[in-house]
Structures are given as structure tokens and as C-alpha cells.
Amino acid sequence: MRFQKIKGTRDILPEEIGRWQAAEKQIQQVMARFGFSEIRPPIFEETELFARSIGQLTDIVSKEMYTFLDRGDKSLTLRPELTAGVVRAFIENNLGKKQPLNKLYYLCPVFRQENPQAGRLRQFHQFGAEILGSAEPAADVEAIALSIAIYRAFQLDRFVVKLNSVGDAVCREPYKQKLREYLRPRLDRLCKTCQQRFEKNPLRILDCKETGCRTETAEAPKLADSLCDDCARHFGRVQQLLDAAGMKYELDFRLVRGLDYYTRTAYEIVSDQLGAQDALCGGGRYDLLVEELGGEPTPAVGFAAGMERLLMALDKIGWQPAANPPAMIFLAPLGEAAVLWAVQTAQQLRQQGLTVEIDLLNRGLKAQLREANRQQARFAVIVGDNELKAGHAAVRDLTTSQQNDVLLAELISYLQKACTN
Ligand code: HAM
């Protein structure tokens, strides 16, 4: 019986892991430059945590979560995003009491049972950041600036920042009512899904991709025009700070995000190089979530970004991670005594921090050298039983094909010197 991977999951193979590791390193460096510390919450949590945070009516909670009962009949869910888990960890570990502001980042797998397509997977990876403890518009701008800085660090510049405000508890309900009144006479021209959204979740009708729905909502009242004074002031200041820092953005009244915890700022970074799934990253402010989950009232803002989508965009611009592999030594023993010597010597060379491959297939000299070349080794060390007896080895520089006889007693220091040249 042969098994296949689950639909919507991917094997990240050795041939592409270099790109992942280089990208991860770059992201970690930018996060550190902005003063963020890494947090790693568990992969699964109580189902209720996600239902409460993301919202019962959202697509994620109503149809995309991997939920299961454990042996104690407890309902658990593989995390479909990180914000809920980070907030749970923030509350449970009293992080808010230790310092007034917590700047946390993550880079890890998440799970959503969506219909797989290019840029949409069932297990994918998110990197993201959360700033907990500040209601200041400067914190929103810090999150936006961080996400932009990460893409820029990869020389990626074909993207657009879309910005909106989704208001707060004071102004959102009256706006929803206004929107319903506007849409009621147009209801039968909306798609089936939007008709269902009309009562409970009318905001999502604004970001429906169906042409009919887009036409009907084109002239709809805008939330940004219906904000209460506090939200309007906050939104204005976020824009002023973005302008002052030279960060370009487009206001987008359709941007409402697919998670319920947002208040005020909502933003996405989209790229025209990704096809239908064009969001590189999305985020915003969620001032009520910490309290909703049982913590002290703590304003917060953050974002998350798809790692696979970043890598897709990087493929489009021909990004190559800086390749700087360490010089490699290939030990090519010929004969039993030479194998024994090679095993001991590999051990010593590796202890000195050198990169060493050793033939494990008992191949002849020609095949071993072919393998050493295939692996782009810098040196091959050829030792047969005769060389052993005579106390020396042939060290071949595979870039110049020059070969030197080196005394075994001096081999380690010879290679150490040669590899640093
Ligand atoms: P989200 O918009 O659901 O937000 O996801 C963020 C990003 O994850 C998307 O922009 C996209 O790049 C990537 N993504 C989402 N679904 C998939 C998928 N099925 N396959 C591949 N990539 C995907 C959140 O998750 C929020 N927690 C963001 C946030 C953090 N808001 C505040 N803090």
C-alpha cells in the first residue's frame, strides 16, 4: 500500500529548503530589527478559543477548521491562524503585567480546510506579528511598516497596501443598519451567499467577488464615512503618519477582512503577481479581543502573511537566496582499512567545524569522484590501503584538478587552511 499526502498539503523537499531557510532568516532579521520577539504557541487549542475570536459566522470557523474530539471528548482544533493563540498565551502567561507593550512575532504552520488552488493550501505557513498594549495610531503604522519592510528586504516592490477602518462597537452597528437599508431593495440581485449574509454579516457583502454583488454595492454608503468621532480621528491619524513616513497606500472601502475581531484599522497587502489569491498579507487592530478572551482590556494590532505566497512572488521576480555554502571535503576511501581511517577522520574533521561527506556505498574511485563533483565538493581526499601504509593521502582540489600528496599527520591542519582560503 502506497500513501499520498493529504490534498492541499505539500512536501517541502531538500531541493527547495534552501529558499525556505533563507527566507525565514531574512524575516527573522527584519522582525528583530523592529524589536519583535518570537513566540511559538501550540499547534492545537480548544475549539472554543477560535470560535470566540474569529467568529462563529466566519468562513474559517463555520467551514474550514480541522476540529476533532480527543480521547477525553474535548473538542480541539488545529490552529487556522495565530492571533487567537497568541492572545491566549499573552493572557495565560501574564505578559501584559511584565511590560506595558509586547511586540511578538511568529512563523509557523496553520491549517484551513479550503478548496486548494494556486496560493491556497490546507496546511500553509504564516509569519506575522502582534503588538499588544497600545491603542496609538503609531502602533498600527508600526505593524504596517514592518510588513512592508519584510517585502522590501526581498527587493519585492510590486504590491499595494489597501487600507480601511471597520469602526468599533459604537459605529459599526448603526452602519450595518444603514447598509442593510441600502441593500434591501437590491437583495434579490445579490448572490445566494450574500443573501444569507444580509441579516447577520452584511459587511462581508462589500468584499464579495461576484460581479452582480459588486455592481449593487458600488454606490453603497461607506463605513469610513460613518465612523464615530474617535474612530475617525484614529483613522485620520494613521493616514497622516503613513503619509509622513512616505508609505503609500490606497483606501479601499470594500476591505472588511474575513475575521470578526477587527476594530478600526484593517489592511491588506496585495500583489498582482499572485493570481486569484492575491493577498500577500492581512491584518489590523483588534482592541476588544484580549478582554473578550478573559484578559485585562488591552488594545492590539497585528498582521499575518502567507509564507507560500511570499515564495511564489519571489519566484516571479527571480529571487535567489545568497548562496554561500561552506567548502566541502569528500572522503574517498578505497578498501576496508581506508574506510576505517575515513570514519575516524570524518569524525575529527567535523569536530573542527568542517563540512565532510564520506562515501557510504563502497564505490570505486571513479564513481566516488563523480559523486564528489555532483555534490560540488571543494576537495576529494583519496586514500587506498597502500597510501595508508605509506602514511599519506591524495588531496585533489576539484575546482582546479590539482592534486597534492599530504602526510596523514598533517591532513587536518592542511584541510583547515585550504578550506578557509
Ligand atoms: P488572514 O487574512 O486570514 O489573516 O491570513 C493572512 C494571510 O495568510 C493571507 O493574507 C494569506 O497570505 C495567507 N493565507 C490565508 N489562507 C491561506 C491558504 N489557505 N493558503 C495559503 N496562504 C493563506 C489572519 O490569519 C489574521 N490572524 C491576521 C492578523 C494578525 N490580524 C491581526 N493579527
Side-chain angles (χ1 to χ4, degrees):
M1 166 113 181
R2 285 176 58 153
F3 294 97
Q4 289 186 325
K5 60 184 177 298
I6 305 295
K7 193 171 150 196
T9 67
R10 290 190 60 226
D11 297 310
I12 302 168
L13 297 171
E15 66 203 33
E16 49 182 333
I17 200 70
R19 296 176 76 68
W20 278 79
Q21 289 170 342
E24 286 164 4
K25 202 162 148 200
Q26 180 69 265
I27 292 164
Q28 284 159 348
Q29 278 171 1
V30 181
M31 294 285 190
R33 219 192 306 142
F34 274 71
F36 283 70
S37 307
E38 189 179 359
I39 182 166
R40 298 187 189 182
I43 282 182
F44 57 94
E45 304 262 5
E46 278 183 58
T47 302
E48 187 60 19
L49 171 69
F50 299 117
R52 279 230 174 180
S53 316
I54 301 166
Q56 206 78 51
L57 294 173
T58 59
D59 288 350
I60 298 179
V61 173
S62 65
K63 47 187 190 204
E64 294 169 1
M65 296 207 300
Y66 281 99
T67 296
F68 56 97
L69 290 180
D70 74 359
R71 284 166 200 271
D73 275 345
K74 199 176 178 78
S75 180
L76 303 177
T77 293
L78 299 185
R79 62 182 175 213
E81 58 109 53
L82 264 299
T83 310
V86 168
V87 169
R88 198 258 322 124
F90 170 84
I91 298 169
E92 191 170 341
N93 297 289
N94 289 319
L95 299 186
K97 305 239 162 57
K98 293 178 187 150
Q99 52 192 46
L101 189 75
N102 278 269
K103 302 207 299 188
L104 305 170
Y105 85 89
Y106 44 80
L107 200 171
C108 41
V110 291
F111 308 85
R112 293 184 192 175
Q113 193 163 359
E114 296 196 77
N115 279 337
Q117 53 171 270
R120 196 200 263 164
L121 292 152
R122 290 183 168 178
Q123 174 174 337
F124 58 101
H125 297 74
Q126 278 189 343
F127 60 90
E130 312 291 351
I131 304 172
L132 295 123
S134 173
E136 294 300 315
D140 307 49
V141 173
E142 176 96 330
I144 297 171
L146 171 57
S147 44
I148 293 176
I150 290 175
Y151 295 117
R152 289 236 187 279
F154 290 99
Q155 321 296 331
L156 204 67
D157 49 19
R158 267 181 65 175
F159 57 76
V160 174
V161 179
K162 300 207 159 183
L163 184 71
N164 196 13
S165 172
V166 294
D168 65 5
V170 177
C171 49
R172 200 170 341 171
E173 277 313 314
Y175 170 74
K176 277 188 189 169
Q177 205 41 46
K178 218 194 257 181
L179 183 61
R180 274 193 211 98
E181 274 157 31
Y182 179 85
L183 289 175
R184 201 178 303 279
R186 299 167 169 83
L187 197 52
D188 53 355
R189 294 195 289 274
L190 298 180
C191 74
K192 282 259 141 29
T193 321
C194 284
Q195 288 179 4
Q196 283 161 8
R197 286 170 173 157
F198 179 76
E199 278 307 331
K200 292 200 168 136
N201 205 1
L203 287 187
R204 286 301 307 278
I205 299 176
L206 295 173
D207 81 345
C208 179
K209 301 279 181 289
E210 297 284 331
T211 345
C213 299
R214 286 187 96 78
T215 316
E216 295 308 322
T217 49
E219 303 294 322
K222 297 185 176 35
L223 180 44
D225 298 332
S226 313
L227 296 175
C228 61
D229 287 349
D230 285 348
C231 287
R233 213 174 305 119
H234 192 276
F235 193 34
R237 181 75 175 151
V238 168
Q239 292 174 60
Q240 188 190 26
L241 295 177
L242 287 171
D243 292 339
M247 282 180 253
K248 295 207 167 49
Y249 57 90
E250 285 176 7
L251 294 180
D252 183 354
F253 77 95
R254 293 189 182 278
L255 182 71
V256 295
R257 310 274 300 128
L259 304 94
D260 282 355
Y261 47 62
Y262 292 109
T263 48
R264 299 188 170 170
T265 307
Y267 82 100
E268 275 183 7
I269 299 185
V270 297
S271 160
D272 62 0
Q273 294 180 307
L274 291 178
Q277 302 304 316
D278 65 352
L280 277 171
C281 114
R285 180 163 279 288
Y286 48 97
D287 287 344
L288 308 175
L289 184 60
V290 180
E291 193 178 3
E292 167 72 22
L293 295 179
E296 297 290 321
T298 309
V301 58
F303 75 90
M307 191 69 191
E308 287 79 0
R309 291 192 192 176
L310 166 66
L311 289 165
M312 273 169 73
L314 292 179
D315 281 346
K316 290 269 162 58
I317 60 163
W319 174 75
Q320 288 301 338
N324 209 357
M328 191 220 277
I329 300 157
F330 192 96
L331 295 183
L334 300 161
E336 251 178 62
V339 168
L340 192 144
W341 171 87
V343 169
Q344 288 173 330
T345 307
Q347 181 88 345
Q348 289 163 4
L349 290 169
R350 285 169 176 157
Q351 275 166 6
Q352 299 302 315
L354 295 171
T355 306
V356 180
E357 277 283 328
I358 176 168
D359 178 61
L360 300 175
L361 294 173
N362 197 21
R363 286 176 275 208
L365 180 60
K366 241 182 161 173
Q368 290 205 45
L369 289 180
R370 211 179 304 125
E371 180 60 20
N373 275 312
R374 196 187 68 78
Q375 294 202 28
Q376 296 179 328
R378 173 82 198 281
F379 299 102
V381 180
I382 305 157
V383 182
D385 292 349
N386 289 340
E387 282 89 350
L388 261 190
K389 272 193 207 118
H392 59 82
V395 178
R396 185 181 294 191
D397 184 329
L398 295 171
T399 44
T400 60
S401 294
Q402 207 184 337
Q403 193 161 307
N404 287 331
D405 268 347
V406 179
L407 286 176
L408 291 183
E410 290 167 8
L411 186 71
I412 291 182
S413 59
Y414 176 91
L415 287 171
Q416 259 178 331
K417 214 181 281 162
C419 283
T420 47
N421 282 335

